[in-house]
Structure formats: structure tokens, C-alpha cells
Amino acid sequence: MSIRIGIYGYGNLGRGVEAAVRQNKDTELVAVFTRRAPESVKIATETAKVVSADKVEEYKDKIDVMIICGGSATDLPVQTPKLAKLFNVIDSFDTHAKIPTHFANVDAAAKEGGNVGIISVGWDPGMFSLNRLYANCILTDGADYTFWGKGVSQGHSDAVRRIDGVKDARQYTVPVEAALEAVRSGSNPELTTREKHTRVCYVVAEDGADKARIENEIKTMPNYFSDYDTTVNFITEEEMKRDHSGLPHGGFVIRSGKTGLNGEHKHIIEYRLQLDSNPEFTACVLLAYARAAYRFSQEGASGCKTVFDVPPAYLSSMDHSEIISHLL
Amino acid sequence: MSIRIGIYGYGNLGRGVEAAVRQNKDTELVAVFTRRAPESVKIATETAKVVSADKVEEYKDKIDVMIICGGSATDLPVQTPKLAKLFNVIDSFDTHAKIPTHFANVDAAAKEGGNVGIISVGWDPGMFSLNRLYANCILTDGADYTFWGKGVSQGHSDAVRRIDGVKDARQYTVPVEAALEAVRSGSNPELTTREKHTRVCYVVAEDGADKARIENEIKTMPNYFSDYDTTVNFITEEEMKRDHSGLPHGGFVIRSGKTGLNGEHKHIIEYRLQLDSNPEFTACVLLAYARAAYRFSQEGASGCKTVFDVPPAYLSSMDHSEIISHLL
């Protein structure tokens, strides 16, 4: 029998989960829940329903795992605890500083409902976190480095769009190759913000806008750009649509450490992602952890978990002997 | 209280575990067990004992986890089940084809003794296996690639040493950069053995030996070299000692996959290790999993497990709230 999946929120991430379900034969999409008028939302899965978010309770016994695809700022802190009372849930909560509070809230709600919640699933937090943990447990004496990109930062793109005279903008975060190579050499460099990443902006200006002023406003913007070497390219609307409509991302988690009685041997552990579609990759991670939540639930577990608490085998649709034979 | 560690077998790997214990403050080395005369074995830890392997039973209640550092060919298939009746055990069994049988034997013995055994721990099998599993669970539609090196292959070095006229030899396995780049491009190339790795040998020939014959015997050796492009360099004993006395290794696990309703987006997941010392790195992984075995045992678990069955948090000496705050 398939694992019955619900998708709560149907933006880029929700559509990614829908596509992922189609690639995983042991899962089946039951319904997409939306705050919009259901009849206005068209989905790709003919066998699934589009349902108003108000009616989610009616699906309590029809869905094994609800994958919540809202935003971290205002949606998930409310939605995940609320839904964890009714369903096993997965979310991609990514406000690092607020994770302990979110964990506690989801834990209480999930225990009350007898359900399992797995939070902060995706690639960062998520796969990057896992790689930080594994590498730290192996190389006790070492240093961690995280690089992001090349990829689109939605927050930085939005910040540029708010500048007067900007019609559209896309911002790429780009890791500095020389910094990566310094880390890979095992020299444990101390790197400033400016040394690790550059920022590259593509901007469509409004007719007659002062491009020099826009460029200056971008490059001097505190928090977002002033600590970085930033390049600003003005392009046409057609070029924006043709060359910058995707949402690629990725990055590197590297730990550099020493072993031996006198720290005489250096080691580098590197994990790298190159993603054509940030939301679709995140969705694939969410679905793998939905399988784990289902399995925990079948075993009678309840409460909140993170990627750190999930035995890797729980993510697989293969049985244990297959995994041992084929992947170990 | 520290986790009390025993080391069974004191070669390169055993010495690596000893060094790792010194880097992990929550562990303590109690004793090294050896088949040699104990008085002939000198260890680096003053507070630990060197004990004859015959007397291992006397340590039944003095050791929390025994890390078995024997070889996979003949030692571990016997030692791990035997010791699992007495202790929680960790090994690095790496004969891929025989893992299911070894798992079953250790499982039965560990259950009989009420202990936990974690087998096939290290980097391949071990961290590479974990990365294959995670990447397969995320990118369902894709292809796996494993590259080894640059690193010393002991088996291939031994094979060259057996050739008449060879005094000493060291063989490096080297991944082909062009093949790596083809995989990273997402083109899912089909790669032959020859396209993935080259082999580089450093040979000290005996005085008057026929170097042309030796080179030819190496390059045409079935299984070991005939399917590869092999380079043979003749060097002096001094050069061998000066430049080739280390045991570096490493490699790459890459999964290339597609997502989207029509597979329109490509993704690359890459895990890379660069190790100055293969045995010391392996030892660090063994010690992290010793911590996990101890924790499973404290919870009352018994039987055989693999890296696939261990929640990542069990590897850490940090408590759960610290992990969530600092690494997620």
C-alpha cells in the first residue's frame, strides 16, 4: 500500500513535492490544500483533489503524511504545530535562530496528536546540517566552512527590486573559487565575508531611470551587499526572462581537520550540491523524510524529530537486506 | 563518565583508534589486545594496558565498546562474531559481497550476548555507503558514480611486490579528471574502467633486474592492471622512503539525477574525501560509531547494525539541544 501524501500550500515547493511523488512509486498524492479558491488552482495529478485549507480536518484519516510547503517567516510557525495535532508532518523551517522554539512547539503538538513531525528538512537546513554533523563527529579537531551558490537568493533579489527605478532583478550568490581552494588545501584559512562570496545582480531598470544611482544603492546596501564585492549588470526584460527564470542553487559544506598523535595528518571532507531547481530538490528531500515519518509513526513513535534523529535506512523504499546488499 | 574503549589488534588501524581516543574527551582507552607477546607491544597511552588476546574475556565488564582492528579476509569473519558475544563491537569489514553473511553472523552472536555490533564502518564501506543511500533516496531517477583516489591501494602495491626483481612498490589509484567533470556536468556518461581511473606505480627494482620486463608484467597483469592505463616509475629506495611512506586515500561519491514533471531539471550531489592517512580517518569513523553502539546498548538494544541504522545524532558527544542549536 502506498504512503498517502498531502501537500499543504501549492507554490514552487508544493509543485516540487507533487513532481517528486510521481517519481516515488511507494507514495501517492491524495490532496493539495490551498488558501486560495480551490477551483482556481490547477494541479498536475488527475487522481488528487484540490481542497480548501479550511477543510483539512476532514482528511485526518485519509492522509499518512502532510508535507507543509509554507514560508518560514509567518506560515510554518503557526501551520506546523497546528497540523501536527492532526497529521504526521514534514516542514522545511529554515530560520536557524528560531529552530529550538519551533522544535518545542511541534514536539508538544505532535505528542498531543500522537503524530510524528520532522522539521527543518531540505538542504540547508537539512543535508548540509547532516554533513556538518557527520564531519564534526569524525574530525573532532577541525574547522567548518559553508559556501553557498552559485545560486539565486530570493531575499537579495527582493531587496534589489525594492530600489526606486528597478523593474525586475535577480541576484546570484557566487562562491569565490580561490577561497574554496584555500579550504581544500587544508590550510584552515580564516575567511572574511568578502573573501568567501561575491554577489552578481541582473537588473531591469525602468525607462529613464538613473542606472548609476541604482548601481550605487545596490552596492552600498547594508547587510545585503555592502560587505561583498558586487557586480551589477543591466539587462532587458527579454534577457531576464530568457536567461534568469530558473531557481538554481547549491553550495559546499567542507570540514578540514587533523588526526594523529600530534595532529600530523590533514583530512578534508567535502559535500557539494549543484541544483538546477532549488524548490524541486528541496521537495525531494521532504518526500524522503515523509517516508521516514510514516515509518516512525507505524512503529508507534510520536513527537518532533529532525534529520539528526532519523536512521538513514528509514528514508529508503528498499528493505533492509536490499540496502545492505546494494549500497553498503 | 567516559566510554571505555578496547582495541583488538594493534596495526595501523589500531594505532589510529588510539590517536582518535585522545581527541575525544568522552572516551577512554582501557586496553589494547594483541596476538603478539604483550611485552613486545609498546603503545602511546600510559594509562592503558596491553593484554594478550587470549585474556580478552577477563575484560568483559571493563570495556563498553571493543573496536576490532583486524583484516577483513580472515580476521573479522571470526573475531567479530566471537567478540560480539562478550562486548559491544565495531568493525570495518569491507568485503562487500560477504557483508550479508557477516551481518547475520554478528547479529546472532550479539543477540546471544545482549550486545550491539556495528559492522562495515569506515569510509568505503561507511561514509561512502551513507552518501550513496542519502543521494539515492533524494534523487530517485539518477545514476551513481564512485571514484577512488588519489590514494595508495595496498592490494595493488602487494601485487607489484610479488613480481620477480621488485624490491618494493607503491601503487596509487588516480581518478581521471575528465571523467569527474563529465559526471559533474550532469550528462550521465557511461564510463569504462579505463576512463574512470589510472594507476601509477613507483617501483624499487633489485640491482640488475630487467626493468622493461617488470614494467610489462605490471601493465599486463590481469584484474589488477590490464584494464587500466598504468604508468610505472622506477625510483630508489631512498625516494620510496622519503616520498611514498604515507597512506593517503580518498575519493568521490557522486549521484546525478533529474527532477520535475518531465525530468527537466538536473542535480548533482557530490561527496569527496581527501585523506592524508587512510587508517587514521577510518579509525575516527570507528570511534564515532563506538559512541553510537554505547548509546544503543544503554537503551537496551542488541543485535547487529550498520551505518544505515544509526541516527546521526548518536555519533555526537553533544546533547540533542546543542546539536539542534549549533549544527541544524
Side-chain angles (χ1 to χ4, degrees):
Chain A
M1 213 184 69
S2 305
I3 303 170
R4 299 169 300 170
I5 301 291
I7 295 174
Y8 196 89
Y10 195 66
N12 285 331
L13 186 58
R15 281 193 295 275
V17 172
E18 182 180 24
V21 166
R22 293 158 77 107
Q23 289 187 320
N24 286 270
K25 300 306 170 204
D26 63 329
T27 66
E28 145 195 21
L29 180 62
V30 171
V32 167
F33 299 88
T34 178
R35 288 176 292 195
R36 289 175 274 169
E39 60 278 11
S40 72
V41 175
K42 200 173 145 43
I43 65 173
T45 308
E46 288 183 10
T47 52
K49 294 202 168 93
V50 180
V51 179
S52 169
D54 300 338
K55 301 194 172 160
V56 70
E57 265 196 82
E58 297 174 13
Y59 281 76
K60 190 174 169 4
D61 299 316
K62 295 176 185 162
I63 283 173
D64 294 314
V65 187
M66 184 72 80
I67 300 181
I68 311 176
C69 299
S72 292
T74 55
D75 294 337
L76 297 178
V78 178
Q79 291 173 352
T80 310
K82 193 177 136 198
L83 291 167
K85 292 183 189 168
L86 301 169
F87 303 97
N88 299 310
V89 295
I90 305 289
D91 80 17
S92 61
F93 186 76
D94 67 359
T95 312
H96 287 265
K98 295 184 179 165
I99 287 175
T101 303
H102 189 57
F103 183 92
N105 293 341
V106 175
D107 193 50
K111 280 178 178 153
E112 188 186 321
N115 295 310
V116 172
I118 309 181
I119 62 161
S120 300
V121 175
W123 60 274
D124 193 8
M127 299 313 297
F128 273 20
S129 322
L130 273 177
N131 277 279
R132 281 188 283 266
L133 178 69
Y134 278 119
N136 270 272
C137 295
I138 296 169
L139 295 175
T140 310
D141 181 8
D144 292 308
Y145 298 88
T146 302
F147 292 84
W148 291 275
K150 183 185 174 180
V152 172
S153 164
Q154 306 268 31
H156 287 76
S157 299
D158 289 344
V160 175
R161 279 190 207 103
R162 285 192 292 266
I163 292 173
D164 196 44
V166 170
K167 203 166 180 180
D168 198 6
R170 190 60 51 103
Q171 195 270 184
Y172 294 89
T173 305
V174 183
V176 175
E177 193 61 36
L180 272 170
E181 284 308 317
V183 170
R184 288 187 183 126
S185 77
S187 67
N188 279 16
E190 298 233 8
L191 296 167
T192 64
T193 299
R194 192 178 296 275
E195 286 167 332
K196 287 180 73 185
H197 297 94
T198 57
R199 299 197 176 278
V200 179
C201 303
Y202 293 88
V203 177
V204 180
E206 281 169 5
D207 286 345
D210 180 350
K211 291 182 180 173
R213 177 193 47 84
I214 291 172
E215 180 165 344
N216 186 57
E217 281 195 37
I218 294 172
K219 289 184 172 177
T220 58
M221 194 186 296
N223 301 319
Y224 286 88
F225 292 99
S226 61
D227 292 337
Y228 297 85
D229 290 330
T230 302
T231 310
V232 178
N233 304 289
F234 289 95
I235 59 173
T236 65
E237 269 190 286
E238 292 67 41
E239 287 168 327
M240 179 64 81
K241 196 172 173 185
R242 186 190 68 206
D243 302 333
H244 304 284
S245 59
L247 290 169
H249 220 311
F252 303 78
V253 170
I254 304 179
R255 186 163 175 87
S256 164
K258 294 183 295 186
T259 66
L261 289 175
N262 303 299
E264 60 271 36
H265 291 123
K266 291 188 294 191
H267 305 274
I268 309 286
I269 303 174
E270 174 174 342
Y271 182 75
R272 178 184 187 182
L273 295 175
Q274 293 175 265
L275 313 176
D276 269 4
S277 167
N278 183 351
E280 285 180 9
F281 185 84
T282 301
C284 289
V285 183
L286 293 175
L287 190 63
Y289 279 92
R291 188 178 284 124
Y294 178 68
R295 182 148 165 193
F296 273 123
S297 177
Q298 293 289 100
E299 292 175 353
S302 70
C304 188
K305 296 176 188 293
T306 71
V307 294
F308 298 146
D309 307 307
V310 178
Y314 280 31
L315 305 176
S316 177
S317 61
M318 289 196 275
D319 70 30
H320 198 261
S321 64
E322 272 184 285
I323 296 175
I324 288 180
S325 302
H326 296 305
L327 295 170
L328 193 63
Chain B
M1 213 184 70
S2 305
I3 303 170
R4 299 169 300 170
I5 301 291
I7 295 174
Y8 196 88
Y10 194 66
N12 285 331
L13 186 58
R15 282 192 295 275
V17 173
E18 183 180 24
V21 167
R22 294 157 77 107
Q23 289 187 321
N24 285 271
K25 299 307 171 204
D26 63 328
T27 66
E28 145 194 21
L29 181 62
V30 171
V32 168
F33 298 88
T34 178
R35 287 176 292 194
R36 288 175 275 169
E39 60 278 11
S40 72
V41 175
K42 201 173 146 42
I43 65 173
T45 308
E46 288 182 8
T47 52
K49 294 201 168 94
V50 180
V51 179
S52 168
D54 299 339
K55 300 193 172 160
V56 70
E57 265 196 82
E58 297 174 13
Y59 281 76
K60 190 173 169 3
D61 299 317
K62 296 175 184 161
I63 283 172
D64 295 314
V65 186
M66 184 72 80
I67 301 181
I68 311 176
C69 299
S72 291
T74 55
D75 294 338
L76 298 178
V78 178
Q79 290 172 354
T80 310
K82 194 177 135 197
L83 292 167
K85 291 182 189 169
L86 300 168
F87 303 97
N88 299 309
V89 294
I90 305 289
D91 80 18
S92 61
F93 186 76
D94 67 359
T95 312
H96 288 265
K98 293 183 180 168
I99 288 175
T101 303
H102 189 57
F103 183 93
N105 293 341
V106 175
D107 193 50
K111 281 179 178 154
E112 187 187 322
N115 295 311
V116 171
I118 309 181
I119 62 161
S120 300
V121 175
W123 60 273
D124 194 8
M127 298 312 297
F128 272 20
S129 322
L130 273 178
N131 277 279
R132 281 189 283 265
L133 178 68
Y134 278 119
N136 270 272
C137 295
I138 296 168
L139 295 176
T140 310
D141 181 7
D144 292 308
Y145 298 88
T146 302
F147 292 84
W148 291 274
K150 184 188 172 178
V152 172
S153 163
Q154 306 268 30
H156 287 77
S157 299
D158 289 344
V160 175
R161 280 190 207 102
R162 285 192 293 265
I163 291 173
D164 196 45
V166 171
K167 204 166 178 181
D168 197 5
R170 191 61 50 103
Q171 194 270 183
Y172 294 89
T173 305
V174 182
V176 175
E177 194 60 37
L180 273 169
E181 284 308 318
V183 170
R184 287 187 184 126
S185 77
S187 67
N188 279 17
E190 298 234 6
L191 296 166
T192 63
T193 299
R194 193 177 295 273
E195 286 168 332
K196 287 181 71 185
H197 298 94
T198 56
R199 299 197 176 278
V200 180
C201 304
Y202 293 88
V203 176
V204 180
E206 283 168 5
D207 287 345
D210 179 350
K211 292 181 180 175
R213 176 192 47 83
I214 292 172
E215 180 165 344
N216 185 58
E217 281 195 35
I218 294 172
K219 289 185 172 177
T220 58
M221 195 185 296
N223 301 320
Y224 285 89
F225 293 98
S226 60
D227 292 338
Y228 297 86
D229 289 329
T230 301
T231 309
V232 178
N233 303 290
F234 289 95
I235 60 173
T236 65
E237 269 190 285
E238 293 67 41
E239 288 169 326
M240 179 64 80
K241 196 172 173 185
R242 187 190 67 203
D243 303 333
H244 304 285
S245 58
L247 290 170
H249 220 312
F252 303 78
V253 170
I254 304 178
R255 186 163 174 88
S256 164
K258 294 183 293 185
T259 66
L261 288 175
N262 303 298
E264 58 272 36
H265 292 123
K266 291 188 294 191
H267 307 272
I268 308 286
I269 303 174
E270 174 173 341
Y271 182 76
R272 178 184 187 182
L273 296 175
Q274 293 175 266
L275 313 176
D276 269 4
S277 167
N278 183 352
E280 285 181 9
F281 185 85
T282 301
C284 289
V285 183
L286 293 175
L287 190 63
Y289 279 91
R291 189 178 284 124
Y294 177 68
R295 182 148 167 194
F296 274 123
S297 176
Q298 294 288 100
E299 292 175 354
S302 69
C304 188
K305 295 175 188 295
T306 70
V307 294
F308 298 146
D309 307 308
V310 177
Y314 279 32
L315 305 176
S316 177
S317 60
M318 289 197 275
D319 71 29
H320 198 261
S321 64
E322 272 184 286
I323 295 175
I324 287 181
S325 302
H326 298 305
L327 295 170
L328 193 62

